[in-house]
Amino acid sequence: MDVMFNKTRETMPRKDLRELQLKQLKKTVKTVYDTVPFYQREFKKLGVTPSDIKTLDDIRKLPFTTKNDLRDNAPFGMMATSLDSCVELHASSGTTGIPVTACYTPNDIEVWSEVMARCLVMSGLRKNDIFQNPIPYGTFTGAFGFHYGAQKVGSLVIPTGKGQSERQISLMEYYGTTFISGVASYALRLGQVALEMGKDPKQLKVRNGLFGAEMFTKGLKQRLVDMWNMDVHDIYGLTEMCGPGVSTDCDQHDGLHLWEDHFFVEIIDPKTLEPVGVEEEGEMVLTTLTKEGMPLLRYRTRDIAKLFDQEVCECGRTHVKHSTIKARSDDMVIIRGTNIYPGQIESALMKHEQVGSNWRMVLTTEKDADQLTVEVETKAVLSKNDADQLTKQLMRDIQNVLVFTPRVAVVPPNSIPETGLKAKRVIDQRIRE
Ligand SMILES: [Zn+2]
């Protein structure tokens, strides 16, 4: 059995886990019904009261919560406690509008640290590790979640924060960092910077990495493993739940264990809003079971995944596993009438040894039609001949995924501008009438 942060909870028999969930669900429903005007209105519309929740299946009687509901009630309208009871505020990015704001009570911070500690230990973090956290510290949840979790495990946290890749590498070497966090694409970038500095990432002491905040494909994961000689785990989370810490993959690497004592998961068909079967893909919907500051019922994450049908995992944990997030429905782009997710393109690119860490899709309008150009950095500068050959191979591989032939522009290393923490994969310059 794996080493675990909280063995009692992580291996809890499913029957007990379901009982605990029902108890917590009833409590959460009563709390929001008594304190949050938005839920009072929604319950009334549906003709539901807290006493209607008798089994876990009764959750389907409850209203959904969407990102728009959070925006309509921003910043503090969804709170179930007074601001006086809160000790920390975080907010998600406002790239698509008003940021999502969440305030944490001391117990919310405690729960967040606990679930993060479980995720980190599952990824190999131990008390004697030196944990480097190259994530911007600020209102985003990422850096603090990892920071609190790693401290709870008892490892030594180096809060290096944002960017400055060369400095990150120097500090890794200087302090003997053994575990890193962040975003997978940035870890790949860091490895490349190390190579440019004349250092082989494999010669550094980093042996584990836990990465989240963006989807990453098996291909990208394998690249990180090969580049750093480290084990790579995938973490999932969102500000609306707590931040990172909702789920992580164990050493089986075939799905992410979701902490069901704190979150209740459903998978629904995003069109009919009806539940889909086990092992069927759909939108992940999450209900908080222990949150005090901003508890949410049936929050529509927009993330597409499926649940696996398995009682107990090889690792010993009993909490349900979900597939890696296949897509974030917000990231989907429609090109010439076809739905395309950046991950599909990335899978095609990452098969090629010569392809570097950065790439993007540029969408334009030409002769009234959508045109897609995939810009791809190479690891090293290629001869014209090699570049031409790679371009042809990439066009063919991407065409297999799409239904049309895109343009491919193979460019030298560091030609695509860096976009900060999360890689910006889609540049949409299409003309819209
Ligand atoms: Zn497992």
Side-chain angles (χ1 to χ4, degrees), residues 88-361:
E88 195 162 315
L89 178 152
H90 284 282
S92 71
S93 73
T95 45
T96 47
I98 304 163
V100 169
T101 307
C103 294
Y104 300 64
T105 66
N107 192 60
D108 290 339
I109 297 287
E110 173 57 32
V111 169
W112 189 19
S113 312
E114 154 87 23
V115 290
M116 272 307 303
R118 290 186 200 172
C119 293
L120 284 159
V121 170
M122 184 153 45
S123 318
L125 188 74
R126 300 292 179 265
K127 205 177 165 345
N128 61 0
D129 269 304
I130 296 177
F131 177 86
Q132 189 163 330
N133 202 22
I135 310 177
Y137 280 71
T139 50
F140 288 117
T141 52
F144 284 90
F146 278 96
H147 189 108
Y148 293 147
Q151 281 194 334
K152 204 163 176 67
V153 173
S155 46
L156 180 67
V157 179
I158 315 179
T160 48
K162 187 184 176 202
Q164 297 177 284
S165 306
E166 289 194 10
R167 176 178 150 268
Q168 298 280 0
I169 298 294
S170 301
L171 292 178
M172 265 176 214
E173 194 175 30
Y174 187 59
Y175 291 122
T177 300
T178 55
F179 197 118
I180 58 171
S181 61
V183 174
S185 58
Y186 187 61
L188 200 60
R189 165 95 193 119
L190 278 178
Q192 212 146 37
V193 169
L195 291 168
E196 283 160 21
M197 291 164 76
K199 297 176 203 297
D200 181 354
K202 287 193 204 64
Q203 301 299 317
L204 296 168
K205 290 183 181 155
V206 179
R207 286 302 161 262
N208 279 295
L210 179 57
F211 306 112
E214 65 181 11
M215 277 159 287
F216 62 110
T217 53
K218 272 202 175 121
L220 179 52
K221 204 176 253 187
Q222 193 53 49
R223 284 198 157 206
L224 285 169
V225 170
D226 296 343
M227 174 181 251
W228 288 88
N229 183 26
M230 68 172 165
D231 196 10
V232 173
H233 288 256
D234 184 2
I235 188 165
Y236 173 73
L238 56 165
T239 307
E240 294 87 333
M241 291 299 113
C242 58
V246 172
S247 57
T248 288
D249 59 335
C250 63
D251 286 338
Q252 304 295 314
H253 293 302
D254 63 350
L256 289 79
H257 287 286
L258 183 140
W259 304 122
E260 290 181 277
D261 50 340
H262 296 290
F263 310 103
F264 186 88
V265 61
E266 299 168 83
I267 306 282
I268 62 160
D269 178 327
K271 289 198 187 78
T272 64
L273 307 183
E274 290 299 320
V276 301
V278 178
E279 307 263 350
E280 262 180 66
E281 261 171 18
E283 180 180 339
M284 193 143 56
V285 171
L286 292 169
T287 297
T288 64
L289 295 175
T290 52
K291 199 91 181 274
E292 293 178 342
M294 195 171 85
L296 294 177
L297 300 182
R298 308 191 82 195
Y299 184 68
R300 294 190 55 186
T301 63
R302 322 298 294 172
D303 293 324
I304 308 295
K306 63 180 173 188
L307 297 183
F308 294 120
D309 188 13
Q310 184 179 43
E311 274 286 304
V312 182
C313 179
E314 290 282 313
C315 72
R317 292 179 182 86
T318 51
H319 295 241
V320 74
K321 283 196 284 193
H322 66 81
S323 62
T324 50
I325 304 300
K326 189 191 163 197
R328 188 152 270 187
S329 48
D330 296 345
D331 289 345
M332 189 188 77
V333 283
I334 302 174
I335 308 171
R336 299 189 191 177
T338 310
N339 298 350
I340 292 164
Y341 293 103
Q344 294 174 288
I345 308 247
E346 185 174 283
S347 302
L349 299 178
M350 289 301 147
K351 282 183 221 146
H352 295 267
E353 250 311 293
Q354 293 157 307
V355 168
S357 60
N358 213 355
W359 66 275
R360 64 181 183 177
M361 301 160 63

Side-chain angles (χ1 to χ4, degrees), residues 60-113:
R60 291 181 204 156
K61 296 176 180 166
L62 298 174
F64 287 104
T65 312
T66 64
K67 196 165 236 170
N68 273 338
D69 296 329
L70 303 189
R71 288 194 181 123
D72 291 346
N73 294 283
F76 304 127
M78 298 294 280
M79 301 272 304
T81 53
S82 68
L83 281 183
D84 274 4
S85 331
C86 294
V87 293
E88 195 162 315
L89 178 152
H90 284 282
S92 71
S93 73
T95 45
T96 47
I98 304 163
V100 169
T101 307
C103 294
Y104 300 64
T105 66
N107 192 60
D108 290 339
I109 297 287
E110 173 57 32
V111 169
W112 189 19
S113 312

